[in-house]
Amino acid sequence: MKRFLKVEDIGNLDAALKEAAEVKKTPFAWQNLGKNKTAILIFFNSSLRTRLSTQKAAQNLGMNAIVLNVGTDSWQLETEMGVVMDGNKSEHLREAIPVIGSYADIIGVRSFAKFESREFDYQETILNQFIEYSGCPVISLESATRHPCQAFADLITIEEYKKVKRPKVVLTWAPHPKALPQAVPNSFAEWMKVADVDFVITCPEGYQLAPEFMKGAHYEPDQKKALEGADFVYAKNWSSYEHYGQILSKDMSWTVDAEHMSWTNNAKFMHCLPVRRNMIVTDEVIDSPNSIVIPEAANRVVSAQVVIKRMLESL
């Protein structure tokens, strides 16, 4: 595996889930793979789960893991080509990336959408420069448009907690005070459409995801109808794709509370974290026995470790 950006990169999902179960059972069984190898994890944005889980996954495999927080641990980095660098950015990615690549065996990159240009964000300009110039396998630790390590962990969690062969999984929009990227819902939709689940997206009008992520999913604008009979409820906010980066609604009736969960088939509640309590989900739901947000977060180590293991095997 040379890159991990989207669901196609993982190959057969059944094989990936079986491998994840093996990795979870014996996380230190492949430390020889990473001996004397270095993973450099580059963060243009702050992180808790992604940083810690990926760092731990690399260390479980015997690797050295170096974390670089851009702008605090390094120079501010210019990301666009052809600019006159007379502002606050002292170094260009065009030089920084091959330098980083000379120190690394595997590179992980986290870079959010800027919301200045949908075209710029959806072209994945920053991530693609790392792929082009680093000479190393590259893992997306969340990009402008996708968060594959999160979606893989979500699928692992659903596999562990499902009670029927083909569960109903609902991705529901929920309100938030800030404009958030579409990366997590995009990836979740992408992975669920390939998985053996009955997948439904529910959101207010104007919040549909990009066509490539909506295609093949069942869209139900009525949240109550969407949640009826659900086995898993994944709540997440995202800003508008059509009216890019804009907040069109803060309708608190979409907040997942006990009444919403009563419409389901005693569903498990999921969220990628961090979560705004009593906006995305009420305390009573996220603190309930049916909340699996902590096991879901723990599986971030497993998903990252499967990906890094495969990359090490391909070196």
Side-chain angles (χ1 to χ4, degrees):
M1 181 187 288
K2 297 299 183 184
R3 65 189 64 173
F4 183 63
L5 315 178
K6 50 190 177 181
V7 69
E8 289 85 358
D9 296 331
I10 203 68
N12 182 277
L13 284 188
D14 288 337
L17 288 169
K18 288 178 182 177
E19 189 170 352
E22 292 175 9
V23 164
K24 190 168 186 175
K25 186 177 180 181
T26 56
F28 307 114
W30 296 274
Q31 289 195 332
N32 62 302
L33 286 174
K35 184 178 180 181
N36 299 326
K37 299 289 195 304
T38 299
I40 298 183
L41 312 177
I42 301 160
F43 290 84
F44 289 83
N45 306 89
S46 58
S47 172
L48 190 154
R49 276 149 296 277
T50 298
R51 172 177 173 168
L52 295 180
S53 63
T54 312
Q55 196 169 358
K56 180 174 174 59
Q59 291 171 345
N60 284 353
L61 290 163
M63 300 189 78
N64 302 309
I66 300 172
V67 175
L68 180 71
N69 294 297
V70 175
T72 55
D73 297 334
S74 74
W75 305 110
Q76 290 282 356
L77 296 177
E78 179 57 64
T79 61
E80 298 191 52
M81 301 299 288
V83 297
V84 176
M85 291 177 58
D86 58 355
N88 68 331
K89 295 177 180 177
S90 303
E91 186 165 5
H92 201 287
L93 278 181
R94 186 62 185 85
E95 288 76 59
I97 291 171
V99 169
I100 293 166
S102 72
Y103 305 149
D105 296 284
I106 292 173
I107 295 175
V109 182
R110 179 181 179 94
S111 179
F112 287 176
K114 294 183 177 181
F115 287 145
E116 295 170 2
S117 163
R118 187 172 76 182
E119 182 181 10
F120 179 89
D121 287 343
Y122 271 70
Q123 285 177 347
E124 295 291 9
T125 304
I126 294 174
L127 185 61
N128 283 326
Q129 287 186 67
F130 275 91
I131 293 169
E132 184 175 359
Y133 301 130
S134 71
C136 295
V138 174
I139 305 171
S140 169
L141 302 179
E142 186 169 6
S143 68
T145 64
R146 288 177 170 89
H147 197 350
C149 289
Q150 179 66 55
F152 187 16
D154 296 335
L155 180 59
I156 293 167
T157 308
I158 290 169
E159 182 70 13
E160 290 176 340
Y161 282 88
K162 71 180 184 181
K163 295 181 179 179
V164 296
K165 186 178 187 314
R166 186 178 173 84
K168 181 178 179 180
V169 178
V170 179
L171 171 64
T172 179
W173 180 91
H176 195 282
K178 296 171 61 179
L180 297 186
Q182 295 109 32
V184 169
N186 282 351
S187 270
F188 188 74
E190 185 174 63
W191 284 67
M192 290 302 111
K193 289 189 297 181
V194 179
D196 189 16
V197 302
D198 176 15
F199 179 55
V200 180
I201 298 175
T202 184
C203 58
E205 193 62 36
Y207 276 100
Q208 290 91 336
L209 301 172
E212 64 183 292
F213 299 106
M214 293 297 296
K215 184 179 179 181
H218 175 61
Y219 169 60
E220 173 53 69
D222 186 317
Q223 190 187 30
K224 184 174 183 179
K225 287 182 180 178
L227 291 173
E228 287 174 355
D231 298 294
F232 294 89
V233 174
Y234 198 112
K236 184 70 179 79
N237 175 268
W238 60 90
S239 58
S240 175
Y241 171 79
E242 181 181 359
H243 304 281
Y244 192 60
Q246 293 183 26
I247 297 174
L248 306 181
S249 173
K250 293 183 182 179
D251 185 353
M252 295 290 286
S253 71
W254 283 77
T255 300
V256 177
D257 59 15
E259 181 182 1
H260 287 72
M261 296 301 287
S262 73
W263 304 333
T264 72
N265 183 29
N266 195 32
K268 300 295 185 184
F269 176 80
M270 302 179 70
H271 189 278
C272 61
L273 302 181
V275 66
R276 298 270 184 151
R277 282 174 174 250
N278 302 306
M279 282 210 73
I280 300 289
V281 58
T282 59
D283 290 336
E284 61 184 336
V285 171
I286 197 169
D287 291 331
S288 75
N290 276 17
S291 172
I292 55 174
V293 297
I294 303 305
E296 180 184 2
N299 278 331
R300 289 294 308 278
V301 177
V302 182
S303 64
Q305 191 164 336
V306 170
V307 171
I308 296 170
K309 173 178 172 287
R310 290 187 175 191
M311 287 186 167
L312 288 170
E313 288 169 340
S314 70
L315 290 177

